[in-house]
Amino acid sequence: MRTRIYNARILTMEEGRPIFLGELGIEDGRISYIKEEASCGGADGGSLAGKAASGSQGTDLDEEIDAQGNLIMPGFKNAHTHSPMTFLRSYADDMKLQEWLFDKVFPAEAKLTGDDVYWLTKLAVMEYVTSGTTAVFDMYKLKEDSARAARECGFRMVFCGDINDFGGTLEEMEADYVRYNQESEELLSYRFGFHAEYTTSKELMEKIAALAHKYEAPVCVHCSETKREVEECRERSGMSPVVYMDSLGLFRHGGVFFHGVHVDDKDFEAIKEKKIGVVTNPASNLKLASGIAPVKRYLDEGITLAIGTDSPASNNCLDMFREMFLATGLQKVVCDDPEAVPAMDVLRMATLGGARVMGLDGCDVLSEGKRADLIMIDLMQPNMQPLHSIEKNVVYSGSKQNVKMTMVNGKVLYRDGQFYINESPETVYENANRIASRILESKAEEN
């Protein structure tokens, strides 16, 4: 498959490279070339037609896409998700995290089948691509069914281990690690992980540490999301969750913390020493009143930062535009500093940062040889005009309505409101509602 995208404003996200007018080629899922036609400062409100060559560069192309002056950039990497939890959207709201999780979420999830996970993952994929997301870092059970859905849709997923005292085994996690990290898996990969310190025994965490050391691999985990979580860990161990888990050898080869809201100076020391990445989830943390992560300090300390939505049960949407705005807006308030966490830092978190914590080095920027995971942002919309700064428009005024196209591995999955995921939206919606009704109605009858 050979594709040419021309007449485009291109933001590669390479360090120091501004937006330019040009074109790029795609062959067999990778970017084959990027050609710069002209500098593009951004003040032009849409008079680019004709500035880039509009003719074919050859007769052997499968498709030519005229970007019509719109923005081509790397897709967003949603670095913390629980995709099949789409069935819990707007089901258990306005509750504290512990009660929400143990009283509502865990009992409902226990009724899920593999077929349920398959359809609910497809629903999540549809939402991801409309939000310009080209890859997610997904933590959930029944991964083979999510994998089947992702493969059929053509969507990229990095799976994260989710075992704890209530489910999953080390043997299963090791098998998944080997299975999904094969070179033949173009769209799927896997990282070791477990749910959280407060759901996992010391003995199990030590065994996870040994497994990670065997493969010299990082470990990923929910960490320091709430004050209660931190306080209870201190009561049990005399240490914060960060320091306690580190003392067990879990992060000898690095790791990733999802949330990282309530952290102290010793935590920062451990995070920097072990080169742990942090994924902030501002909307979910706000809705559950968990707190506001110290994003500015993470950036100041040189810690790799990414952005995630968390699940449709706690967010309740999978919209990276909303997350980006909250990531910067909240820091400006808590730091009492309008200069805190500028737009370009947030854009890096949503693209480069996500790729780094997910191990997607081949999908971080747009350059020759990289995977063609990219999006087209419609600049010819009122919320994108005038074009004083396209990057700031994306972060501060952008929304899902501006996602004109989402491409993964060189294949268009979404364009101009249409899905190309090998499944009709109506079929996905019908199955998702059927599953939700079966599980949640039976849960109501039990109560």
Side-chain angles (χ1 to χ4, degrees):
M1 179 73 177
R2 300 186 66 190
T3 303
R4 174 184 176 233
I5 303 176
Y6 65 96
N7 199 18
R9 286 180 167 95
I10 300 175
L11 175 61
T12 67
M13 291 303 299
E14 294 170 299
E15 188 66 34
R17 191 173 190 183
I19 294 174
F20 59 89
L21 177 63
E23 67 172 73
L24 58 83
I26 299 162
E27 185 170 357
D28 297 329
R30 294 184 183 273
I31 297 171
S32 55
Y33 72 88
I34 295 183
K35 186 161 96 175
E36 186 169 343
E37 298 288 348
S39 176
C40 185
D44 184 345
S47 59
L48 290 179
K51 289 187 181 178
S54 59
S56 172
Q57 297 298 296
T59 58
D60 54 351
L61 291 169
D62 295 287
E63 184 176 16
E64 291 189 276
I65 299 173
D66 183 354
Q68 300 179 317
N70 289 310
L71 180 69
I72 298 294
M73 63 174 286
F76 301 125
K77 313 300 185 294
N78 189 338
H80 183 49
T81 62
H82 308 277
S83 296
M85 292 178 75
T86 45
F87 82 107
L88 290 170
R89 191 194 312 273
S90 302
Y91 163 68
D93 297 318
D94 310 319
M95 300 177 67
K96 290 183 172 64
L97 174 66
Q98 299 287 339
E99 289 78 6
W100 170 82
L101 191 61
F102 287 94
D103 297 344
K104 292 289 187 178
V105 173
F106 284 166
E109 288 180 316
K111 298 180 182 295
L112 286 172
T113 68
D115 188 63
D116 295 340
V117 167
Y118 168 80
W119 286 109
L120 295 169
T121 299
K122 284 197 169 184
L123 178 60
V125 168
M126 292 175 66
E127 191 171 0
Y128 294 138
V129 297
T130 62
S131 180
T133 295
T134 55
V136 299
F137 200 1
D138 206 57
M139 176 188 274
Y140 214 69
K141 59 182 181 176
L142 299 172
K143 291 175 178 59
E144 64 273 19
D145 299 290
S146 286
R148 181 163 57 100
R151 287 194 196 97
E152 290 182 9
C153 291
F155 188 73
R156 194 176 305 283
M157 277 192 168
V158 180
F159 293 117
C160 179
D162 65 320
I163 68 173
N164 55 37
D165 292 341
F166 306 101
T169 67
L170 287 165
E171 292 76 18
E172 290 170 345
M173 189 158 71
E174 183 172 16
D176 284 341
Y177 183 88
V178 172
R179 177 191 310 171
Y180 295 118
N181 287 330
Q182 298 178 61
E183 288 187 10
S184 59
E185 289 283 10
E186 279 194 331
L187 294 170
L188 306 176
S189 54
Y190 188 95
R191 293 216 152 186
F192 290 129
F194 61 103
H195 178 258
E197 177 275 330
Y198 60 89
T199 57
T200 312
S201 68
K202 177 182 178 182
E203 292 72 23
L204 181 53
M205 284 190 281
E206 288 174 334
K207 290 177 180 178
I208 294 169
L211 180 60
H213 187 55
K214 173 182 176 180
Y215 289 92
E216 298 184 350
V219 175
C220 312
V221 61
H222 293 104
C223 183
S224 301
E225 183 175 359
T226 66
K227 287 181 180 179
R228 175 178 171 180
E229 171 192 342
V230 175
E231 290 168 356
E232 291 181 349
C233 183
R234 288 190 186 280
E235 290 174 3
R236 287 190 298 269
S237 68
M239 293 174 273
S240 71
V242 174
V243 175
Y244 175 55
M245 289 189 291
D246 186 35
S247 74
L248 301 179
L250 282 159
F251 310 118
R252 278 179 287 185
H253 304 284
V256 179
F257 289 161
F258 305 122
H259 301 294
V261 176
H262 300 280
V263 286
D264 60 20
D265 290 343
K266 288 186 177 180
D267 294 335
F268 271 98
E269 290 175 11
I271 291 168
K272 290 178 66 176
E273 179 187 348
K274 296 301 167 63
K275 295 181 171 57
I276 295 168
V278 177
V279 182
T280 185
N281 308 268
S284 177
N285 292 158
L286 281 177
K287 185 167 175 285
L288 289 169
S290 300
I292 300 171
V295 170
K296 184 179 185 302
R297 182 171 176 185
Y298 282 128
L299 289 172
D300 291 345
E301 298 270 4
I303 293 164
T304 299
L305 263 179
I307 299 176
T309 58
D310 210 342
S311 82
S314 66
N315 190 312
N316 294 3
C317 68
L318 306 173
D319 184 350
M320 288 292 284
F321 288 93
R322 184 167 77 168
E323 302 300 325
M324 286 192 294
F325 183 81
L326 288 172
T328 176
L330 290 170
Q331 294 305 298
K332 296 178 189 306
V333 171
V334 299
C335 298
D336 192 23
D337 179 7
E339 296 181 345
V341 190
M344 202 61 199
D345 283 350
V346 176
L347 210 53
R348 291 189 191 98
M349 290 161 57
T351 53
L352 294 170
R356 286 169 184 160
V357 301
M358 295 160 71
L360 295 177
D361 296 338
C363 309
D364 53 355
V365 299
L366 302 185
S367 66
E368 186 174 335
K370 298 283 188 176
R371 291 287 178 185
D373 287 15
L374 55 84
I375 59 177
M376 185 189 298
I377 300 293
D378 189 351
L379 302 178
M380 310 310 161
Q381 295 277 347
N383 67 321
M384 285 290 169
Q385 298 289 330
L387 300 178
H388 296 304
S389 169
I390 294 173
E391 297 95 331
K392 290 178 182 178
N393 280 358
V394 171
V395 174
Y396 290 134
S397 64
S399 74
K400 293 175 67 172
Q401 78 181 48
N402 299 113
V403 178
K404 190 173 179 67
M405 182 182 76
T406 300
M407 173 184 284
V408 176
N409 215 37
K411 178 187 175 185
V412 173
L413 303 188
Y414 175 79
R415 185 192 294 171
D416 294 328
Q418 299 297 311
F419 295 94
Y420 302 93
I421 59 168
N422 301 311
E423 195 71 74
S424 73
E426 294 76 16
T427 301
V428 176
Y429 301 154
E430 180 182 351
N431 280 283
N433 280 286
R434 170 183 57 79
I435 293 162
S437 296
R438 188 195 84 236
I439 293 175
L440 302 183
E441 286 178 7
S442 65
K443 180 75 170 55
E445 291 172 0
E446 291 173 6
N447 294 335

